[in-house]
Structures are given as structure tokens and as C-alpha cells.
Amino acid sequence: MVSFIFKRLIQTIITLYILITLLFFMFRILPGDPTTMFVDAALPLEAREAVLEQFGLDKPLHEQYWLYMKNFVQGDFGISFNSREPVVDLIGHYLMPTIFLMGSTILLALVIAIILGAVTAWYRGSKFEAIAVSVALFFRSAPIFWIGMVALAFLSHQLNLFPIGGMHEPGQGSNGFFETYFTLEFLHHLILPSIVGAAYYVASPMLVMRSSMIEIMDEDFIELNRAKGLSEKAILFKHAVRNALLPVVTEIALIVGFAIGGQVLLEVVFNWPGIGRLIVDSISRNDYPVAQATFFLMGVIVIFLNLIADILYGYLDPRVTYKKG
Amino acid sequence: MVKRSIFFIIIFSFLITTGCMSVSKDSDENEQQLPVTEDLPEDRKVREVVMNVTNPEYDAVRYEFGLMIAEEWKKLGFDVETVPLEWNRLSELGMQQKDFDSFTLSWAGRAERIDPDHFIYGTLHSSLSGYGGYNIAGYDSEEYDALAEEQRAVSDPEERKKIVKKAEELFLEDIPYAPVVHRDQIMPFNTSNFTNLTYMLGEGLNSFWTFMELEPTGDEKYVRWGYPSDINSVNPLSSTNSHDFQVTRLIYDRLVRITETGEPENWAAESIEDVNSDGKTYKVTLRSGMNFHDGEPVTAEDVKFSFDLVKEIESPYFMGMVEPIDSVEVVDDLTVEFSLNDSFAPFISNTLAQMYIFPQHYWEPILESEGASGVLDHQNEEAIGSGPFTLDYWERDQELKLDTNTDYFSPAKVDGILSIPYSNTENMVAAVEQGQADIGGWWIEPIQVEQLEEIENVEVISVPDHGLYHINYNMRRMPFDDVAVRKAMTSVIPKDRIIDEILEGYGTKATSVIGPANEFWHSDDLEGYEYDFDSAVEILQEAGYEWDEDGKIYYPEGKTDQDKENGIIREVE
Amino acid sequence: MSFVKWKRVFRLLLKDKLGLIGFALMAFFIVVAIFAPFIITHDPQAQHYSDNGDLLNMAKPSSEHYFGTTNMGRDIFSQVVAGTRVALVVGLTCAVMVTIIGTVIALVAGYFGKWVDDLLMRITDIVYGIPFLPFAMIMVAVLGPSIWNIIIAIVLISWRTTTRVIRSEVLSIKQRTFIQAAKLNGAGSFRIIFRHIAPNIIPLSLVFGSLAMGWAIITEASISFLGYGDPLLVSWGKILFDAYIAHAITEAWWWVIPPGLSITLLVMSGFFVSRSLEEILNPRLSR
């Protein structure tokens, strides 16, 4: 067990190294050096060269790579070409809004998924099941930005129930952590994007929950409980659901992985100042240091979640042995 | 079953993919008649040319009119392939490397481009046709260069205007690039909380004067200024983005500001004197009693320091402006003298009206301890200037707050400004509609005007602009090296349709490079190109071009594409 | 495949209403795609003018223009019909390529095990670590905004899911006696993989193939929506993007609903079909 974890850790480090290298080359093949964006601002030729020199982009590729690796290992992600702000500070600034939006989205999706998954399994073959599954799959099939557009048009523009986007009303000021994220006003801005996001993510954990429930319900102990005279509700919630949750937990890693990708669209449509928008902007501005670091961050999260899911899965499910890698 | 179904899917998908993916229906258009010559030799056939356009996300107008013009060129017998490119790629290939046949571009109508120097010299002088230069077409005419240089040296505006006009006439004769339209700036404004809306040529509602003149009508005294992206930095010394300067020019003061009507007006400078009347030495006296936001007085030393600073650290935006300056000397506490290398007509309207006054006591220690890169990388969170607004805070991609500087010699009437970035124009417009923003600082699509005007409290301003939508021809390549081809292609640009259908009437036809909105410098008696298919055919015929039975165009006798692929006849320096 | 088995498939299908709906929907879209040139009423890119010569912009649905017109006076019905073909080509091409690539990698990794497996699985991990949409944006920026480049980007990323699931299936099949028997009989690796293991995992591949189709269609739409789509091609995502930048959502529902609904229904049909396939192939769930 310990040696398995150790081996996987070593592998993960190698994986990360390759990812970093990949990112370096991926952004170097992008068309246009970062000064392309400056063309707009009447940048004289000499100044463009000066900018390239200031960022070390005039050096040969292998020197750039060496420097890049050295800085990465030291946790120095460089400074943004655009704003000249350290990339770490920039990411820190955009991370919190994303964590809040993604957290509430996934939490909401999981709660709905577990309830609906359990109930649809319980009422297997009923009309309710067909409708619930269809609706969940409908939202899973619809482009998230389209649902967002329609929801905004209807709920915000027509009915004025929700703000049309953003995280705060203008003029709230530069506040501390609690004043920023723990107000009713913030919640009001958070609700609609969270619902739209959750509607998208609900289907897969729900279906996993449902199949897992079906398997559990076939097992003997449910029958045993029935025989003991427990009410159906008690059986459903106390025994079946609890036992069926395991595969759903491992599903979380996958959902987070997906959510990180889908975040971009949600943030654009709802004007949410998060990592997704940072990554889109940095790509369109050829701001490699920022794009590299955000890609890396997303990669690290997904790779580690997969690692944890792998280990957890084996830990929770005794059928998996660690002998074979 | 399984194997068979896979086989079926593969076969099926190939069946439709090999067929054409895009579906179209031929509409019956009356084909234009071209004179036909039989048995033309294949090697005289004009190669296929490429028209690059931006993708519609970057600018739907440029994309649509590019497609429209390509259609017209096809009617003339040219094989035209339209290739949309993402902006980074387009600006790299087109603006920097000059690796293109033709492409659509727009010179934005900035305040500093009211002075004709950008269009007359900057986009057409032969010295700027190399890598990264703005003479994109590769225009190279000694006669023209002489005129472009001459207008720079003459400081008398009336005299200068005559030279500018001569240059424009020559431009139209040689037509290195084709002026298409001047697009009106259309921006939305919500009238619920403010009145006395002022806007400006080339700047629209983002102008300095908008914020100086707005008056609150109710309790809401902070103007909420929406924009489809955030600024990059509040350090103007390293900024390169034009929106950054729209914000920082409210914080930092300038010696001269361009008025709503486009003339330079003394601002932080009380007087400016051309000492020897030869345009080489200027004596500038500062307004007295001005202070920086931290209470320190603004002195001649600060002005000198600012010019020296940007030169020393090679500040990207300001560097070009200080280039004509040889030295800056402090005469007394409030007087500085600028000595120029040569007389430079746009000195006041471009250099003095663009440069900021930086506080010496703030930047000098940074320069001394951290050097040039320290200054460029400085985050400048305090942003101490001497302008009409002070920076309260900036939360990146959330909002930026400016407070009115009540000690200013001409204070704004509002209490301050909230600058709010949106993820795109759509969200910005929605915010103005809903009254969550007062000003929408970006050009909206003409189609939206009607629907916005129906909304209570929403007003849409439209200002004619001196910015120029145009098509670049690459004169380094065949067939664009031939003036007849450029003239003919320019003659079939359907300017009226572009204005009616794409701009919904919000634009004016571009005759030459200086638009009618630029009232002083525009000459309205220049003869430009109107849509005239027959005369285009005539021009080509006269030059010896011929057409085959399929209506494809052939070079005059004795001429063939040297380079079949790209038609290159001259390399970029 | 014998007649009896077909009968079972058919019987199961009839019982599974959602599956039936899925197959019907997909058949419908395929028919529309094939006959698109005959169904469209106008050229999707042509601009239309009213009788008095004005551009017909954002006209309401009418008997002339079933879904109304865009801000540039283009017929939305014809655009949506033309978009069906793009969606299906993108969806099917990606599905086929993803399934083939994903399955082959899974077979090789699962069969050979040891360092081959380790290596291929770590590559899968890396691909998992690359955020999908931003990666596609970069590909388009580098290679140019053509639909084929978008397809390449989708394929380069999407094989990861197929590989991961199928590999574990291969691992379990590998242990089965008939594989061991084939090995003892001296069959070569290649033969074992493709003659003995592959046929057993193809059903599962198909399930993932139909999921990949939906995924590809949504991704194409998302890339178009971010403005990185093929501007010369009328795809559903492009129609939605045009509507979005023209700010049509509150004004012209007829421009926004049809393409969005088409995407949803086609992707959903992929889900229904895959579920139905799964139930047919894995009777344990379908009791």
C-alpha cells in the first residue's frame, strides 16, 4: 500500500514535469510575440524590441527553457506581460471568485444528484424516473452558455429576479474577505450562475448514484431490513443511500475536472471575475506567463484529484489490490 | 452486428465529410458582362489572391465588409480566397511581417491622430515599410515622401494643410491602400442619474471631457463607467493598452489637452511660446498653485524629470513622443524650455498633449534603487498624479474607483468615477440598459441602436469619427504592384452598401485618409473612388488586362506571376 | 450476429422508450443533414431585402422565413438546417477518431501492462490535466480557425476518457481463460489483441463513441461561442455566437432557441442511444 502510493507520487511528479515542459513549448509556438497586442498602442519598433529584451524573449529557446524551469521549481511564475504584476498575485486575485462559484455549483449539483439518483432508483420504471432522467440529460446535453443566455434573458432581463452578472453591485468598495464573500448581495449574484452550472453537472453523478443504488437494493441486507419491518423511507435513506454513496464520492474528482473546463463559459456569460476569464484573456493577449501558470494550476488540480481518487478507490474498495500498478 | 455497424458509421461519416460540408443555394444574380478574349495563354492567368479578414468576434464590421468586397473582386475576374484570422495572427502576418496579399484594417480615431501626421507620414512614408512599420502596403514614392516630410516641418497650419492636401492627391493617384468608411462611434448612455453629456471626436464617451462635464441630477454622484474589459495596469510608464490611458489621463495631468473639437488647449501649461518662431524651441510656463495628490507642489523640475524618465526607461507608450526632443531645461520654478532636434509640427498636439507629469519625488527613489525595470514593473497602487481625479482603489476585473480631486483648478462636478469591466460588449450594453452602468464605453453594433433607444432613460450617442476602415494592398506582390489593379479594385468597393447594410447608416464614405469628421484637416474637394464597375473594367482593359470565357482575368501581354504562390517581387526590409 | 440476438435487441429497444426516442432523433438529424440542400429555403449566407429594398434584419418568423432572419438579413431556418450537417460531420468524425484512438491505446496499455501501461496511463494523466476549451483556443490560434483544426483539437483531448474506461475492461478480459488458452496455443500479441480481446470491448467502445459525438458537438459550439470558430462555416455554435454578439437574446428568441435546442436534442439523442446500447449489452442493469 505505502509503496504503491510512493510509486504513484513519483509518477505524478514526472507527469507534472512533462506537463510543465509541454506548456513551455505550447505557448512558444503561439503566433505573434506578446508585443503583437501592443501594436494597437502605437508602439515604436525600438520599444517593441525593448519589451522583448525586458522579458528575456530575445534569448535562444534553450536558455529561456532553462530559466523557465529554474523559476518554476522555485515557485516563481514570472510577471504578466500585460500588467507586469507577479503572476502568483494575479492568480490569487482571480482564484477566490472561481472557488466560490465552482464550489457552490458542485455542491448544489451533488445534493440534487444524490437525492434524484436515490429516488429514481427507488421508483425504477416509473414515469417519474423517465422524466427525471430525461430532464437531467437535457441539461447535460445543452450548451452551458446557451442555458445561461436564456436564463439571463428570462430571469434577469424580463423578470428582474437576478442581477445580469458580475459578483457585486458597483461601488461596494475594496473590502475584506468576509465583507466580500459573505453578504446577501454576493449570494444574490451567486445564485443564478450556480443553478445554471449545477443543472449541467447534475446528470452524471445522478446516474452513477442511481446505478449504485440499484445494485445495493438487490443486495441481501435491504431485504433483511424489510423483513425486520423497517419503513421503506427508513430503508431508503438510512441504509441504501448511505451504502450507494461510495461511487459518487469517487465521481467528484471527475466532475471537478470537467467543471474546471466548463468554468470558462460560465464566467464569460455571467461576467464572473474568475480564473476562466483570466485564462481566456491571457490567451488572446499572448500573455504566456499567466496562461502557462493557469494551465499548470488546472492541470495540477486535476492530476492530484485523480491521484487521490485512485488511492481512495483502492482504499474503499477492497477488491482493488495495489500489487499490480 | 457490431463490426458491421462500425463499418457503416465510418463509411457514412466519410460519405458526408467528403461531400461539401457547407450547404449553399445559388441565387440568380445578374452576372456582370466582361469582354472575352479567346485562347489566352495559361501563364498569364492572374494567381489566386487572398483577402484576410478579422474574425467576427474581433470586429464584425471588418469581417462583413471584407467578404462583401471579395465578392466584388470576384466579379472582376480575380480568384479571391477569403481567410479570416484571429487578431494576433493577423496583426503578426499583416502588420508586422507584411506576409499578406490584402487585408482589412482599421486605424482607430484617437485624439492624437487628429493631427494629420499619423495618416500622412505614419502610414505612408517609405521609411516605415519594414518589419513592424505602419506603412503596411509598402508604398515607396520619393515624391510622396518629400511631401510627407515637408508637412511635418511647417508649423503654420494653413500652409501645412495645403501640403497635406497635395499628399492626399498623390495618395489617391497611387492608391496604396483603399479607404473604405469612417464608422461613427455609437455608445450607450443611461440618463437616469446624470446630465450634460459631452463627448469627443475619436474618443466618444470615454473622453476626458465627458467626466469633467457630467452633472449629477440626483443622489447618485459617482459615474459608473462600463467597458468590455479591464485596464491592464495603473502604471502608465509600462502601459501599452489604450484603455489604460483613458483611465490614467484622469489621474495624471497633461500640459496640453485636446478639446472636444480637436484643437490643443493649454491645460496645466499656462502659456506655450515658440521662442524663435522656428518650431525648434518651446518655452512652457506652468499654471501656478498645482499640487500632486499627496500635497507636494507641481514644479518645472517634475516636468523635466518626466521627459527624462520616459527616455531613460524606454517607456513603451511615451517613447515615440519624446523622440523629437533634444533636451529639456528648467528655467525657473514654473518654466521649462524644450529644444527639439528639428522643427516638428505635431509637437504641441501630439507630444505635449499626450505626455503626463510624473512626480519626481515619487519616482526618483524607485529609479535609483531598482533601476529602469523597477520603474516599469512598479505596481503603482497609489497612482499619485496631479490630475482631476485620485485613485481610491482598483480591484482587478471587479471595479476601479476614482474620487474627484476637489483641490484641482477646475474640479469635476461629479463625486467620482466607478470603472466597471465586463466580460464582453454584450454584458456591458445589458448593464447600461438595466441602469447598472451610466456610460457604455465601447462601440456597439449599429443594429442595437434602435432597440436601445426604445428603452426609457437610455440614450445612444453617435459621433462621426476620423478613424479609418481600409483595405491594404501588398504592393510588394503581384498583381497589387500594378496601380491599375489597385484602382480597379478600389473602384468596386460598394461603400454605400457597406454603410447601409453593415453600419445601418452610422458611417460616412471615406474618400481619402483624413475623414470629414476631422474638420480642420479634411479637404472636401478631393476626388475619391465611387462604386463604378464599368470604369473598373475600363481601367484594367486600358492597362492591357484580358478575360477568358469563364470571366477569369489575365495579365497584359508579357507579364506573368514571377512567384506563382505569393506573387512576391520585393522583399520586406 | 444471429437472428435471435437481433430479435432480443429489437425487443429491448421497444421496451426502452428513451432509447427509441434517441434513435429516432438521431435518424431525423441524419436525414436532415443528408438532404440539407433540398430542405433549405434560402442560401444560408444570402442577405434578404424587404419589398421596399431595406435589409430584412431580425425579422420575426413568417411563412417566408420560418425562423425569421438575423441582423444581417440571413435566413435562420436555412442556417439551422445547414448547421445540422456541420454538427453531424464534427460529431461523427470526432466519435470515430476518438473511439479508434482511445480503444487502440487502451488495448495496447491493458494488454502489455508493465511499463507500457504505466507510460500510456501517465500520458493519459497529462492529457487529463490540460483544460479542454483553453487548449482548443490555442490550437485554433496556432493553426487557424478552420473546422478541421477544431476537430483535431477535440480528438487530441477526448480520447482520454475512452482509454481510461476501456483499459480497465481490457484488464479484466485479459484474465479470462480463453485469452490464457490462446496464449498457451502460441498466438502472437497482435493476434490476441485484435482477434480475441478487441471484439469483446467493441460494444463498450460504441457506448463511448456515442457519448464522444455529443461531447464533440458541444465543444465545437463552445469554441464558436468564444469567437474561435470557423467564421466561414454556418455551425449551430456560430449562429448562437452571432446572436450573442448582436445582443439578440432579449429581442429575437427565434434566433437563439432553434440552434440551441438543436444542439441539445442531438447531443441528448447520443446519450439516449448510448444508454440504450449499454442496456442491450449489459443486461444486468436492464432487469
Side-chain angles (χ1 to χ4, degrees):
Chain A
M1 171 87 195
V2 174
S3 73
F4 168 79
I5 293 177
F6 183 71
K7 188 182 164 200
R8 279 302 320 260
L9 268 178
I10 297 285
Q11 282 177 344
T12 305
I13 290 169
I14 298 172
T15 310
L16 286 179
Y17 167 75
I18 297 172
L19 183 70
I20 297 171
T21 308
L22 218 66
L23 288 177
F24 174 82
F25 289 105
M26 199 156 91
F27 287 100
R28 294 308 182 282
I29 58 166
L30 263 184
D33 58 59
T35 59
T36 317
M37 286 310 288
F38 302 167
V39 165
D40 192 45
L43 190 67
L45 204 56
E46 308 83 60
R48 183 178 292 127
E49 274 154 17
V51 170
L52 287 181
E53 201 189 308
Q54 281 157 16
F55 286 107
L57 292 170
D58 55 341
K59 293 202 179 79
L61 211 57
H62 64 272
E63 262 179 59
Q64 284 187 44
Y65 177 69
W66 174 242
L67 201 71
Y68 163 87
M69 274 327 243
K70 208 175 81 188
N71 290 339
F72 239 97
V73 171
Q74 292 169 348
D76 175 4
F77 292 81
I79 64 171
S80 157
F81 288 164
N82 267 294
S83 63
R84 308 228 178 195
E85 201 170 332
V87 173
V88 177
D89 294 359
L90 261 181
I91 289 183
H93 186 84
Y94 287 89
L95 196 57
M96 263 303 144
T98 292
I99 288 178
F100 271 89
L101 179 58
M102 203 157 84
S104 63
T105 302
I106 292 176
L107 202 70
L108 196 62
L110 281 178
V111 170
I112 299 172
I114 288 167
I115 295 173
L116 278 182
V119 176
T120 48
W122 199 257
Y123 296 107
R124 196 166 158 62
S126 69
K127 242 196 192 110
F128 172 77
E129 189 214 10
I131 292 171
V133 170
S134 306
V135 171
L137 281 179
F138 179 89
F139 284 109
R140 180 66 182 77
S141 309
I144 196 166
F145 62 87
W146 179 64
I147 296 290
M149 274 161 82
V150 175
L152 274 176
F154 186 64
L155 298 175
S156 300
H157 286 274
Q158 301 281 330
L159 300 179
N160 253 322
L161 287 177
F162 295 100
I164 51 165
M167 215 167 74
H168 288 289
E169 292 300 318
Q172 292 300 303
S174 170
N175 287 316
F177 181 76
F178 276 91
E179 290 84 0
T180 308
Y181 298 109
F182 293 89
T183 61
L184 275 179
E185 188 246 346
F186 173 75
L187 195 67
H188 191 210
H189 284 77
L190 183 67
I191 292 175
L192 195 57
S194 301
I195 293 177
V196 170
Y200 184 73
Y201 299 118
V202 118
S204 52
M206 171 183 153
L207 293 179
V208 170
M209 179 70 192
R210 178 172 152 280
S211 352
S212 149
M213 273 288 283
I214 291 170
E215 278 186 39
I216 301 276
M217 276 156 49
D218 289 339
E219 278 169 22
D220 294 340
F221 77 99
I222 298 284
E223 285 304 316
L224 208 70
N225 281 323
R226 256 197 199 120
K228 271 200 258 172
L230 284 175
S231 76
E232 292 282 303
K233 244 190 208 148
I235 299 172
L236 171 63
F237 285 106
K238 278 205 175 132
H239 300 279
V241 171
R242 195 189 292 171
N243 286 294
L245 274 177
L246 183 75
V248 181
V249 172
T250 53
E251 182 79 358
I252 294 175
L254 273 178
I255 300 177
V256 173
F258 275 132
I260 284 178
Q263 202 67 17
V264 176
L265 296 163
L266 205 58
E267 289 182 359
V268 167
V269 173
F270 286 97
N271 200 34
W272 196 264
I275 290 282
R277 267 174 63 196
L278 180 67
I279 205 167
V280 171
D281 288 348
S282 60
I283 291 173
S284 64
R285 291 172 183 159
N286 279 4
D287 195 347
Y288 324 147
V290 178
Q292 261 160 2
T294 34
F295 264 69
F296 180 70
L297 180 77
M298 290 183 175
V300 168
I301 294 174
V302 175
I303 289 171
F304 269 95
L305 278 173
N306 278 331
L307 176 70
I308 292 170
D310 255 17
I311 296 171
L312 210 63
Y313 197 74
Y315 183 71
L316 295 172
D317 186 345
R319 277 171 302 186
V320 177
T321 63
Y322 290 104
K323 297 250 165 63
K324 286 182 187 136
Chain B
M1 171 203 98
V2 165
K3 262 189 227 158
R4 234 189 302 159
S5 52
I6 289 190
F7 183 70
F8 175 73
I9 290 175
I10 294 174
I11 292 295
F12 177 75
S13 62
F14 273 95
L15 270 181
I16 33 179
T17 43
T18 44
C20 187
M21 210 192 300
S22 56
V23 182
S24 60
K25 217 173 195 159
D26 282 331
S27 44
D28 7 280
E29 258 176 80
N30 36 345
E31 284 290 316
Q32 302 280 356
Q33 285 306 307
L34 294 165
V36 173
T37 313
E38 273 162 35
D39 300 324
L40 287 163
E42 190 57 25
D43 64 337
R44 270 174 57 198
K45 191 162 191 276
V46 177
R47 73 186 174 95
E48 184 186 61
V49 296
V50 175
M51 152 97 80
N52 289 123
V53 293
T54 56
N55 60 12
E57 139 98 338
Y58 185 76
D59 183 355
V61 173
R62 245 179 269 183
Y63 169 76
E64 293 285 354
F65 86 66
L67 298 194
M68 219 181 233
I69 291 169
E71 284 309 310
E72 295 293 335
W73 290 357
K74 283 180 195 165
K75 289 186 199 156
L76 273 183
F78 291 96
D79 278 328
V80 188
E81 193 194 353
T82 331
V83 181
L85 287 176
E86 197 252 332
W87 170 247
N88 281 345
R89 186 94 188 114
L90 184 59
S91 72
E92 186 192 27
L93 288 180
M95 300 189 70
Q96 293 198 27
Q97 298 177 358
K98 315 289 189 290
D99 179 9
F100 69 97
D101 284 346
S102 62
F103 77 103
T104 60
L105 186 66
S106 158
W107 293 121
R110 284 189 237 292
E112 68 266 28
R113 289 179 183 167
I114 293 174
D115 186 282
D117 194 60
H118 166 78
F119 284 108
I120 298 295
Y121 188 92
T123 70
L124 291 163
H125 192 272
S126 66
S127 66
L128 300 171
S129 66
Y131 183 91
Y134 276 0
N135 178 354
I136 293 162
Y139 185 40
D140 189 357
S141 153
E142 270 176 42
E143 194 188 347
Y144 185 89
D145 284 355
L147 288 169
E149 284 156 23
E150 199 184 342
Q151 62 82 26
R152 268 195 156 184
V154 174
S155 27
D156 176 54
E158 291 300 335
E159 276 305 303
R160 193 173 165 213
K161 189 178 169 181
K162 281 182 197 151
I163 305 165
V164 167
K165 190 182 168 192
K166 262 195 211 162
E168 283 187 274
E169 279 164 354
L170 192 54
F171 162 83
L172 287 172
E173 193 49 46
D174 291 340
I175 202 78
Y177 63 82
V180 180
V181 287
H182 305 283
R183 177 187 182 179
D184 293 355
Q185 276 194 326
I186 319 171
M187 292 181 180
F189 176 69
N190 194 307
T191 55
S192 315
N193 299 312
F194 296 93
T195 175
N196 197 21
L197 189 63
T198 316
Y199 39 83
M200 175 181 175
L201 179 62
E203 302 279 346
L205 293 180
N206 299 319
S207 91
F208 178 76
W209 307 107
T210 309
F211 300 101
M212 297 300 283
E213 302 294 333
L214 274 184
E215 283 169 33
T217 51
D219 296 337
E220 197 61 65
K221 292 193 165 57
Y222 276 84
V223 193
R224 291 161 304 170
W225 176 20
Y227 201 84
S229 65
D230 202 3
I231 60 170
N232 284 335
S233 159
V234 282
N235 178 357
L237 289 161
S238 58
S239 277
T240 46
N241 167 324
S242 52
H243 185 46
D244 288 11
F245 291 96
Q246 289 170 349
V247 171
T248 51
R249 70 183 171 209
L250 299 162
I251 304 172
Y252 289 91
D253 220 349
R254 285 169 166 165
L255 292 167
V256 172
R257 293 205 188 247
I258 308 283
T259 63
E260 293 101 309
T261 47
E263 291 102 43
E265 177 187 303
N266 292 350
W267 192 252
E270 201 172 66
S271 68
I272 298 173
E273 190 191 338
D274 182 353
V275 183
N276 305 319
S277 306
D278 61 355
K280 284 190 180 172
T281 317
Y282 289 90
K283 197 158 126 191
V284 176
T285 312
L286 296 178
R287 213 179 259 274
S288 60
M290 293 189 300
N291 287 321
F292 286 108
H293 300 153
D294 58 0
E296 298 285 326
V298 179
T299 66
E301 290 287 349
D302 291 306
V303 176
K304 175 182 161 50
F305 172 79
S306 304
F307 282 86
D308 293 346
L309 177 70
V310 300
K311 219 169 207 174
E312 176 165 357
I313 64 167
E314 300 191 332
S315 164
Y317 183 77
F318 297 110
M319 222 169 99
M321 296 163 200
V322 299
E323 218 144 66
I325 300 173
D326 178 48
S327 66
V328 188
E329 296 307 327
V330 174
V331 178
D332 62 41
D333 243 17
L334 292 177
T335 317
V336 275
E337 203 169 87
F338 292 89
S339 311
L340 309 193
N341 300 320
D342 228 323
S343 70
F344 182 62
F347 181 67
I348 293 175
S349 59
N350 279 14
T351 303
L352 295 186
Q354 293 303 311
M355 187 61 195
Y356 290 163
I357 305 172
F358 293 102
Q360 184 176 15
H361 64 273
Y362 183 87
W363 290 97
E364 197 161 44
I366 300 173
L367 180 66
E368 271 164 15
S369 60
E370 293 167 55
S373 69
V375 173
L376 290 169
D377 293 346
H378 184 62
Q379 291 304 305
N380 200 23
E381 276 142 356
E382 306 88 351
I384 292 172
S386 57
F389 293 92
T390 58
L391 179 64
D392 186 338
Y393 59 80
W394 175 35
E395 284 286 319
R396 187 180 283 279
D397 258 341
Q398 292 175 24
E399 67 184 42
L400 176 142
K401 189 179 181 190
L402 298 173
D403 296 319
T404 296
N405 176 4
T406 45
D407 294 335
Y408 197 61
F409 58 83
S410 162
K413 296 164 185 91
V414 295
D415 282 1
I417 300 165
L418 285 163
S419 158
I420 307 153
Y422 293 90
S423 53
N424 47 38
T425 321
E426 292 65 46
N427 283 329
M428 179 200 83
V429 174
V432 177
E433 253 179 56
Q434 303 276 308
Q436 295 182 12
D438 301 303
I439 289 176
W442 190 254
W443 307 21
I444 59 173
E445 297 297 321
I447 182 80
Q448 291 169 250
V449 174
E450 212 172 303
Q451 75 198 48
L452 277 171
E453 276 177 339
E454 280 167 23
I455 300 167
E456 211 186 335
N457 292 334
V458 174
E459 223 177 77
V460 180
I461 63 131
S462 85
V463 211
D465 190 43
H466 62 299
L468 179 67
Y469 276 75
H470 60 280
I471 289 196
N472 283 297
Y473 301 125
N474 196 341
M475 292 173 67
R476 307 165 190 83
R477 295 183 177 189
M478 289 176 77
F480 302 102
D481 62 319
D482 190 344
V483 67
V485 170
R486 298 196 302 270
K487 278 186 170 168
M489 283 182 160
T490 313
S491 302
V492 295
I493 295 176
K495 295 178 190 170
D496 287 308
R497 269 183 66 206
I498 292 169
I499 290 172
D500 285 353
E501 292 168 17
I502 303 174
L503 297 176
E504 304 252 324
Y506 291 97
T508 35
K509 283 190 268 189
T511 311
S512 174
V513 288
I514 313 274
N518 191 352
E519 279 168 34
F520 180 79
W521 295 105
H522 174 74
S523 310
D524 53 9
D525 49 351
L526 287 169
E527 198 162 333
Y529 292 78
E530 289 289 328
Y531 183 87
D532 189 343
F533 191 85
D534 296 333
S535 93
V537 175
E538 231 167 80
I539 293 169
L540 289 169
Q541 246 180 323
E542 269 169 32
Y545 286 81
E546 293 178 279
W547 290 268
D548 67 9
E549 299 82 0
D550 302 327
K552 299 290 177 207
I553 193 163
Y554 286 68
Y555 284 117
E557 239 170 299
K559 208 174 174 189
T560 52
D561 275 314
Q562 311 274 307
D563 170 354
K564 292 274 175 252
E565 190 60 32
N566 298 315
I568 297 172
I569 49 173
R570 174 151 65 94
E571 293 296 331
V572 183
E573 295 123 50
Chain C
M1 170 120 344
S2 70
F3 177 69
V4 185
K5 268 189 180 168
W6 271 111
K7 243 175 97 180
R8 186 182 77 88
V9 168
F10 204 67
R11 209 180 54 236
L12 274 169
L13 249 185
L14 279 181
K15 254 176 65 190
D16 177 14
K17 290 223 179 60
L18 292 184
L20 208 61
I21 293 172
F23 278 106
L25 269 175
M26 202 175 278
F28 169 76
F29 280 112
I30 289 176
V31 169
V32 170
I34 292 173
F35 296 103
F38 307 103
I39 299 173
I40 57 171
T41 51
H42 303 82
D43 186 301
Q45 294 288 29
Q47 292 173 295
H48 300 283
Y49 298 85
S50 67
D51 295 335
N52 53 24
D54 291 341
L55 191 70
L56 254 187
N57 51 29
M58 293 226 239
K60 284 197 172 62
S62 63
S63 57
E64 174 63 22
H65 300 285
Y66 303 139
F67 293 164
T69 61
T70 72
N71 63 338
M72 294 300 295
R74 294 177 177 133
D75 183 63
I76 297 169
F77 174 75
S78 303
Q79 292 203 332
V80 172
V81 171
T84 310
R85 193 177 270 204
V86 178
L88 275 172
V89 171
V90 171
L92 290 177
T93 317
C94 288
V96 170
M97 287 167 77
V98 164
T99 311
I100 293 175
I101 296 174
T103 308
V104 169
I105 295 178
L107 280 169
V108 171
Y111 179 78
F112 289 105
K114 304 204 186 79
W115 65 270
V116 179
D117 185 37
D118 263 350
L119 178 75
L120 289 172
M121 282 304 105
R122 294 301 78 76
I123 293 176
T124 319
D125 279 352
I126 294 171
V127 177
Y128 259 102
I130 296 175
F132 203 152
L133 276 179
F135 174 76
M137 286 169 59
I138 289 178
M139 290 287 291
V140 170
V142 173
L143 300 174
S146 108
I147 193 77
W148 299 108
N149 295 334
I150 294 172
I151 289 176
I152 291 172
I154 294 173
V155 172
L156 277 180
I157 297 279
S158 322
W159 59 271
R160 58 190 186 186
T161 328
T162 314
T163 298
R164 193 172 259 219
V165 177
I166 293 187
R167 171 185 161 268
S168 48
E169 189 69 17
V170 173
L171 284 180
S172 84
I173 291 174
K174 203 171 78 174
Q175 306 303 323
R176 303 249 289 269
T177 42
F178 70 96
I179 302 291
Q180 304 300 334
K183 263 190 195 165
L184 285 177
N185 285 341
S189 304
F190 189 81
R191 194 179 159 75
I192 294 178
I193 292 178
F194 289 99
R195 294 293 302 182
H196 298 281
I197 303 182
N200 286 290
I201 53 112
I202 279 176
L204 193 62
S205 301
L206 272 187
V207 171
F208 275 86
S210 43
L211 290 179
M213 185 193 83
W215 190 225
I217 291 168
I218 290 197
T219 307
E220 190 278 328
S222 307
I223 294 171
S224 296
F225 177 74
L226 289 173
Y228 283 72
D230 187 336
L232 296 177
L233 208 59
V234 183
S235 78
W236 290 335
K238 167 86 173 3
I239 303 174
L240 281 175
F241 168 69
D242 286 345
Y244 187 65
I245 56 175
H247 202 62
I249 177 71
T250 49
E251 299 299 314
W253 58 268
W254 56 87
W255 193 0
V256 177
I257 301 297
L261 208 57
S262 303
I263 297 175
T264 312
L265 290 179
L266 181 53
V267 175
M268 204 157 80
S269 76
F271 276 120
F272 285 165
V273 167
S274 84
R275 255 170 56 84
S276 172
L277 281 174
E278 207 171 357
E279 297 204 6
I280 292 168
L281 304 162
N282 183 3
R284 194 172 131 79
L285 279 174
S286 56
R287 261 164 308 161

